[in-house]
Amino acid sequence: MRIAFLGKGGAGKTTTAAGFIRYVAKRYPYVLAVDADVNAHLKGALHVDGLEDAAYELGEVRGEIIEYLKGERTDLNGRDMVGTTPPSLKSNFINVSPTDPTIAKYARTSGDGKLALLTVGTYKESDVGGACYHVKLSGLQAFFHHLLDGAADIVVADTTAGTDNVATSLSIAYDINVFVVEPTRKSLQVYLDFLEVAPHLAEKTYVVANKVDSLEDELFILKHVSREKLLGLVPQSRHLKRFEQGKKEALEDFMKEQEGVFARVLETLKAKPRNWENYLASLRATHTKVCRDWLDEYYNQKLDDGLDSDFTYEKAIAAGKARQLIAV
Ligand SMILES: Nc1ncnc2c1ncn2[C@@H]1O[C@H](COP(=O)(O)OP(=O)(O)OP(=O)(O)O)[C@@H](O)[C@H]1O
Ligand SMILES: [Mg+2]
């Protein structure tokens, strides 16, 4: 299961994603957190011990990740594999597990070993004028499209502000999107813009209203968001401020304010089992589109010709490439 937190800058994506990660870490044996924001703040918001170890940034190591995921595939015929290239049956895959080679190598791990954190990484001086945002994200895209997670696995992503996700194959990577929305017109507008440019994602997109401190705020949100899409309201928290002023125990108090909302978010995620057939169809369509739009020209190759058309995720899973676990 994969969930992403989206929203306008400053709405509380990172705070909410971090809170939800702590919430699920108490309920699942292992959680994979992904900081997919180029302004990486998730680690700092998690307040989990032991995440200090040096980590790789996926944006930096995208080449070696893609090389690994290629595995033994022969259908590329010497052409490049990119972030949207659908897998082949001969690809290497990834499992949500501390022993998975990709996770073991590239993620930071918490002191208790129950949480892994992957980061896309910030722009470096060498990126300026070179690799754009989409290329930077290609390692993460390839990662998700080769991740054979099931109903017992949980992956939580904090994303970049705005609606940029729509323009990448990451928009299909998550089982649900949760927009963190403040009770202001600008904040709501980012959600409404997203629905307008990506109506096909509406059915898996929900809202958590954040920093709500009056009935007026609540009614404002409900004017624009239907009740079944609104998963809950998190108050403008005095406890979070107390925590940020150095009172450690206040984090637990803030957690209590969020818990009811997180229970509903988790329930919603669990009710959306992935349809791998649809996932692959969307990935293939996206790959074909981005190849036509710019990738073929950028790489000067026909990147989507002759790819393994026999591949299905179900076959990869049946071939024992995924861990077999039942849902908790
Ligand atoms: N429920 C809340 N109550 C009080 N303060 C909050 C709440 N949620 C978030 N904040 C504060 O709002 C600020 C922005 O939060 P956060 O960094 O989570 O937003 P973001 O959407 O991730 O921002 P960015 O777009 O910069 O990544 C932080 O100072 C955070 O402490
Ligand atoms: Mg953030």
Side-chain angles (χ1 to χ4, degrees), residues 7-16 37 39 41 45 158-161 180 182 210-212 234-238 240-241 244 254 257-258:
K8 187 182 174 313
K13 296 175 292 296
T14 303
T15 304
T16 312
D37 191 353
N39 299 305
H41 296 303
D158 178 23
T159 68
T160 297
V180 179
E182 288 176 88
N210 193 30
K211 308 183 193 177
V212 172
V234 176
Q236 171 75 40
S237 178
R238 189 170 55 83
L240 182 59
K241 196 195 275 169
E244 286 172 356
F254 180 47
E257 291 179 309
Q258 296 174 302

Side-chain angles (χ1 to χ4, degrees), residues 212 232-242 250-262:
V212 172
L233 312 161
V234 176
Q236 171 75 40
S237 178
R238 189 170 55 83
H239 299 304
L240 182 59
K241 196 195 275 169
R242 282 174 54 234
L251 189 62
E252 269 307 304
D253 297 330
F254 180 47
M255 272 305 285
K256 286 194 193 108
E257 291 179 309
Q258 296 174 302
E259 243 168 29
V261 177
F262 290 158

Side-chain angles (χ1 to χ4, degrees), residues 13-316:
K13 296 175 292 296
T14 303
T15 304
T16 312
F20 186 68
I21 289 163
R22 287 194 301 272
Y23 177 85
V24 289
K26 287 189 184 158
R27 289 157 179 84
Y28 284 76
Y30 186 67
V31 180
L32 177 61
V34 178
D35 192 341
D37 191 353
V38 284
N39 299 305
H41 296 303
L42 185 58
K43 185 170 102 63
L46 278 169
H47 308 296
V48 167
D49 294 333
L51 280 171
E52 268 56 61
D53 295 340
Y56 294 89
E57 295 184 342
L58 295 189
E60 290 292 296
V61 295
R62 56 188 182 258
E64 62 182 72
I65 289 185
I66 285 176
E67 204 48 46
Y68 168 74
L69 295 174
K70 266 185 201 167
E72 303 293 316
R73 69 189 297 174
T74 50
D75 57 334
L76 292 169
N77 249 328
R79 286 164 306 168
D80 283 301
M81 176 177 150
V82 292
T84 48
T85 308
S88 143
L89 273 177
K90 294 180 178 162
S91 299
N92 282 326
F93 292 89
I94 301 167
N95 286 293
V96 181
S97 157
T99 57
D100 177 87
T102 306
I103 292 178
K105 183 162 180 193
Y106 301 112
R108 297 164 199 253
T109 305
S110 62
D112 63 8
K114 290 182 61 180
L115 175 70
L117 172 66
L118 285 168
T119 52
V120 166
T122 44
Y123 290 109
K124 302 275 181 315
E125 215 183 322
S126 55
D127 291 330
V128 176
C132 66
Y133 173 71
H134 294 85
V135 174
K136 187 110 189 145
L137 285 177
S138 62
L140 183 64
Q141 296 181 61
F143 179 91
F144 272 126
H145 303 322
H146 290 73
L147 182 65
L148 298 180
D149 53 325
D153 299 310
I154 186 140
V155 184
V156 184
D158 178 23
T159 68
T160 297
T163 52
D164 277 353
N165 243 5
V166 176
T168 75
S169 72
L170 290 176
S171 65
I172 60 168
Y174 306 112
D175 299 311
I176 69 169
N177 298 313
V178 173
F179 260 84
V180 179
V181 169
E182 288 176 88
T184 64
R185 276 168 58 185
K186 279 189 178 164
S187 196
L188 257 172
Q189 197 56 47
V190 175
Y191 166 64
L192 300 174
D193 288 349
F194 179 88
L195 294 184
E196 195 168 320
V197 291
H200 58 290
L201 300 176
E203 86 35 69
K204 61 170 186 176
T205 302
Y206 299 86
V207 171
V208 164
N210 193 30
K211 308 183 193 177
V212 172
D213 60 7
S214 66
L215 181 61
E216 203 179 351
D217 285 351
E218 188 174 341
L219 292 174
F220 175 78
I221 295 280
L222 280 169
K223 240 196 321 194
H224 303 277
V225 183
S226 64
R227 278 184 191 276
E228 75 271 15
K229 286 290 180 191
L230 183 61
L231 299 183
L233 312 161
V234 176
Q236 171 75 40
S237 178
R238 189 170 55 83
H239 299 304
L240 182 59
K241 196 195 275 169
R242 282 174 54 234
F243 178 72
E244 286 172 356
Q245 289 167 349
K247 300 188 183 72
K248 285 206 158 148
E249 70 287 355
L251 189 62
E252 269 307 304
D253 297 330
F254 180 47
M255 272 305 285
K256 286 194 193 108
E257 291 179 309
Q258 296 174 302
E259 243 168 29
V261 177
F262 290 158
R264 182 88 191 278
V265 171
L266 181 57
E267 200 182 289
T268 306
L269 177 61
K270 282 170 141 181
K272 287 266 177 196
R274 185 167 322 135
N275 179 321
W276 280 117
E277 200 182 328
N278 290 349
Y279 188 104
L280 182 59
S282 302
L283 178 59
R284 284 184 168 144
T286 304
H287 185 56
T288 300
K289 182 175 182 327
V290 290
C291 285
R292 299 238 166 90
D293 286 354
W294 68 283
L295 277 179
D296 281 356
E297 199 182 326
Y298 186 86
Y299 283 88
N300 199 18
Q301 297 170 29
K302 293 285 287 167
L303 289 174
D304 72 337
D305 262 6
L307 297 179
D308 182 356
S309 57
D310 275 348
F311 172 78
T312 66
Y313 285 102
E314 289 85 348
K315 284 185 195 166

